[in-house]
Amino acid sequence: MKKVLLKEIASIAGVVPSTVSCVLNGKAKERRISDDLAQKIKEIAEGVGYIPNQVAVSLRTGYSRILGLIVEDISNIFFATLAKVLEDEVQKHGYRVVYCSTENDKQKGTELLNMLYHRQVDGYIIAPALGMEESIKSLLKQHKPVVLVDRFFPGVGTTNVLVDNYGSTRKAIGFLLRQGYKRIAFVTTNRQMVQMQEREKAYKDELADSLSAVDEHIVLNIDYFNLYPAGREIITAFLLQNEGVDAVFFATNYLGMYGLQSLKTLGWKIPDRIAVVCFDDNDIFKLYSPGITCIRQPIHEIATAAAKRIIGQIESDRQPENEQVLIEGELVIRGSA
Amino acid sequence: MKKVLLKEIASIAGVVPSTVSCVLNGKAKERRISDDLAQKIKEIAEGVGYIPNQVAVSLRTGYSRILGLIVEDISNIFFATLAKVLEDEVQKHGYRVVYCSTENDKQKGTELLNMLYHRQVDGYIIAPALGMEESIKSLLKQHKPVVLVDRFFPGVGTTNVLVDNYGSTRKAIGFLLRQGYKRIAFVTTNRQMVQMQEREKAYKDELADSLSAVDEHIVLNIDYFNLYPAGREIITAFLLQNEGVDAVFFATNYLGMYGLQSLKTLGWKIPDRIAVVCFDDNDIFKLYSPGITCIRQPIHEIATAAAKRIIGQIESDRQPENEQVLIEGELVIRGSA
DNA sequence: CTGAAAGCGCTTACAG
DNA sequence: CTGAAAGCGCTTACAG
């Protein structure tokens, strides 16, 4: 663990530093260095536990083998799990990940991007906050490897990896309809985000296409900043106002968590009297409300797909393609259904 | 956002790069550069959005303004929150944080430490996995700034910041005793870790010092690798075997979460029939089990204290002191108690 | 006041 | 086969 330099191992081996560098970077053949010597150098390096100074390597080569991950909030279970899986995944290819939280703040997101840029990260994986569109465009313009996850900007030609919000929501609403529920409410938040719009559109489309559904949209939108701590009361009030509602779709897992509290307050039995469906980021409902039905976001698949794309871009030196990777959400049906 | 170099802004200003560097690093006075010129240079730099290449700065100065944070599992709510608060805190001083997960694997922990070391981080904040003792000692030997959080190695003279496990647990057990509970069970895991030992010792000491308590230790230890998914069944079986138990202390929040499920399965009403106390990392129980009593770990305070210590060490170039910072756990009493 | 030079630790094209 | 040199983008001691 003591810091040992390239030139030190060169002097031990009795060669010049460049020879050591070439051997250690697999260019022994090119330099036509004898196998014996190469072997000897490797053993010495191994013996003293030589690790190149990554800062120097970065400066010289322009590559850092670091990826930047920008998410909304690293303490959110969805992003934390995403980060972890991603980290494991890219490590197989010798990459490291540095994480940053935007807190959904455009300003902070842009600063973080700048910071990563000047630390010469090799690629960017971003769950963009609203308003980061311009920064991401300029990244693209410079042919930097970039993959968006969880959300995206419709007009920007990035590679995007996300759960199939539209299809999954249609599946879930369809399931509720087949169960015989007729007045299905939809509770959402952050309506300006594209992934939320997809979910809401799917709800409306599925109702429109159904013969049995009541032709009416029962939608509650809660502003993000009202979610805590008032979310529960808002949902309760909404359900009291809409007494005929017999099923609820919560468009995020946080809404589901608050909603569940409301429903219990109101004396609804789950899953006996009512069906509740929501997005579940990480099986969180299995633990707390075993009966609830939800759409599971396969975080592992999302992270793996994102890792594959970003590394592909870096190693092939391709520029980002306008590719949509939709990961199917899994409808997990629990309880009496 | 385009990359602009020091020498470019020098040529715009009509001076030599070193002049620009000095101005931007606040050494204009030392060099006796005229205020006018300094001002002009600053404006140009500002205008073109100059940000120094951090990699080059690091290589040259030996400082990266990056701190390494090594935790057990970044997707655990405790560590995720810790990371976030820490990040905000050190940012005020111009530092960034890179996070790494050890997964409680000695090997991985040591590798991560090596990696950070060779990326020249300025300081280390570590929630050490078992077996990282030697690596941490060698960090100390090299006078690297290091602060341990959440746990520590008794023999090693690091600065440690953690919740007062012993005192908090005594408070909680004392509370149960005053409520009139007599046969209090203690459910734990990872018994070899020092913070868990403190909690268990406090349980035993508090019972020993009490006149009303039954002089008997009802302790269940669940191996870490048995926790999921068998934890619930193990706790249920344990409680069925110990029918006289009228209160339970769960020594971690995960145990509490599993335990709650068990208790509900067994038909225990919380908080009416029984008191349950456990460590709560982030008010998680407030959402799911409003009635439960718990010890809240003030993550914010822990993170703030750790940030202050590590930055203090770096900036003063002091070597780590053997300082224990115990943050008091807050007993949050809810429900009918 | 200002410029030229060395050097952080590497990698790689070039010359022998 | 091997060595000497340049250069990545900065900072800072040194000489004028």
Side-chain angles (χ1 to χ4, degrees), chain B residues 49-336:
Chain B
Y50 173 71
I51 303 177
N53 179 320
Q54 293 306 318
V55 175
V57 174
S58 273
L59 181 61
R60 178 58 232 236
T61 64
Y63 292 98
S64 60
R65 298 198 86 80
I66 294 181
L67 305 179
L69 172 66
I70 298 185
V71 298
E72 186 180 316
D73 175 6
I74 192 66
S75 67
N76 175 313
I77 181 97
F78 175 74
F79 294 118
T81 309
L82 185 76
K84 192 175 150 187
V85 179
L86 195 70
E87 184 180 354
D88 291 346
E89 209 54 40
V90 300
Q91 192 190 274
K92 296 175 193 164
H93 302 263
Y95 288 88
R96 295 270 327 148
V97 177
V98 319
Y99 321 74
C100 316
S101 300
T102 63
E103 336 256 304
N104 252 330
D105 175 346
K106 168 189 175 173
Q107 173 83 33
K108 193 166 175 205
T110 308
E111 277 169 20
L112 287 173
L113 220 43
N114 252 297
M115 187 274 296
L116 292 175
Y117 186 78
H118 287 272
R119 293 210 185 267
Q120 300 194 170
V121 302
D122 294 346
Y124 303 80
I125 301 124
I126 309 174
L130 288 167
M132 284 175 66
E133 191 162 347
E134 287 312 314
S135 321
I136 287 169
K137 276 187 189 163
S138 85
L139 234 37
L140 278 183
K141 213 170 291 165
Q142 295 174 65
H143 305 293
K144 295 291 178 190
V146 45
V147 170
L148 303 192
V149 288
D150 188 51
R151 51 191 87 168
F152 64 101
F153 298 109
V156 183
T158 45
T159 297
N160 309 316
V161 179
L162 62 163
V163 75
D164 178 10
N165 289 291
Y166 183 83
S168 306
T169 303
R170 284 202 67 148
K171 262 199 302 193
I173 302 288
F175 166 75
L176 292 179
L177 290 169
R178 283 195 306 284
Q179 296 298 108
Y181 297 103
K182 288 194 168 17
R183 298 176 60 84
I184 303 169
F186 184 87
V187 178
T188 188
T189 185
N190 281 332
R191 232 185 194 161
Q192 67 280 47
M193 292 187 177
V194 64
Q195 76 272 30
M196 301 313 290
Q197 287 165 5
E198 293 283 300
R199 294 173 193 187
E200 188 165 340
K201 184 165 188 312
Y203 160 75
K204 290 177 175 167
D205 287 356
E206 186 70 21
L207 289 190
D209 288 357
S210 157
L211 297 172
S212 65
V214 173
D215 185 18
E216 180 192 352
H217 299 150
I218 311 166
V219 175
L220 169 64
N221 177 56
I222 306 179
D223 284 338
Y224 183 72
F225 48 84
N226 275 336
L227 209 51
Y228 184 82
R232 236 170 105 173
E233 281 70 38
I234 295 173
I235 295 171
T236 303
F238 169 76
L239 290 171
L240 287 173
Q241 265 172 28
N242 293 274
E243 277 198 22
V245 165
D246 55 7
V248 185
F249 183 96
F250 294 102
T252 73
N253 68 335
Y254 276 89
L255 288 171
M257 278 160 29
Y258 286 110
L260 229 56
Q261 297 290 324
S262 300
L263 298 178
K264 282 183 185 166
T265 307
L266 293 171
W268 295 20
K269 286 227 181 67
I270 298 157
D272 300 330
R273 210 197 108 197
I274 188 135
V276 177
V277 173
C278 57
F279 274 81
D280 183 352
D281 288 337
N282 199 24
D283 271 347
I284 206 164
F285 291 111
K286 190 156 81 188
L287 195 55
Y288 294 108
S289 300
I292 205 169
T293 289
C294 60
I295 298 166
R296 181 161 49 208
Q297 304 211 48
I299 303 187
H300 201 282
E301 278 184 55
I302 295 175
T304 308
K308 194 177 142 193
R309 297 302 182 298
I310 195 77
I311 288 174
Q313 287 181 23
I314 295 170
E315 313 248 291
S316 72
D317 211 20
R318 268 183 286 120
Q319 73 180 85
E321 290 159 29
N322 186 355
E323 184 194 5
Q324 298 293 317
V325 185
L326 288 185
I327 310 287
E328 203 175 343
E330 184 190 353
L331 194 60
V332 181
I333 298 164
R334 301 200 184 98
S336 67

Side-chain angles (χ1 to χ4, degrees), chain A residues 134 157 204:
Chain A
E134 287 311 313
K204 291 177 175 169

Side-chain angles (χ1 to χ4, degrees), chain A residues 54 58 61-67 119-122, chain B residues 119:
Chain A
Q54 293 305 319
S58 274
T61 64
Y63 292 97
S64 60
R65 298 200 84 81
I66 294 181
L67 304 179
R119 291 209 188 269
Q120 300 193 172
V121 302
D122 293 346
Chain B
R119 293 210 185 267

Side-chain angles (χ1 to χ4, degrees), chain A residues 183-185 216 218 235-248 266 268 273-274:
Chain A
R183 297 176 61 84
I184 303 169
E216 181 192 352
I218 311 164
I235 294 171
T236 303
F238 169 74
L239 290 172
L240 286 173
Q241 267 173 25
N242 293 275
E243 278 199 22
V245 165
D246 54 7
V248 186
L266 293 171
W268 295 20
R273 210 197 109 198
I274 189 131

Side-chain angles (χ1 to χ4, degrees), chain A residues 145-147 159 309-318 320-321:
Chain A
V146 46
V147 170
T159 298
R309 298 300 184 297
I310 196 76
I311 289 175
Q313 287 180 22
I314 296 170
E315 313 249 292
S316 71
D317 211 20
R318 268 184 284 121
E321 290 160 30

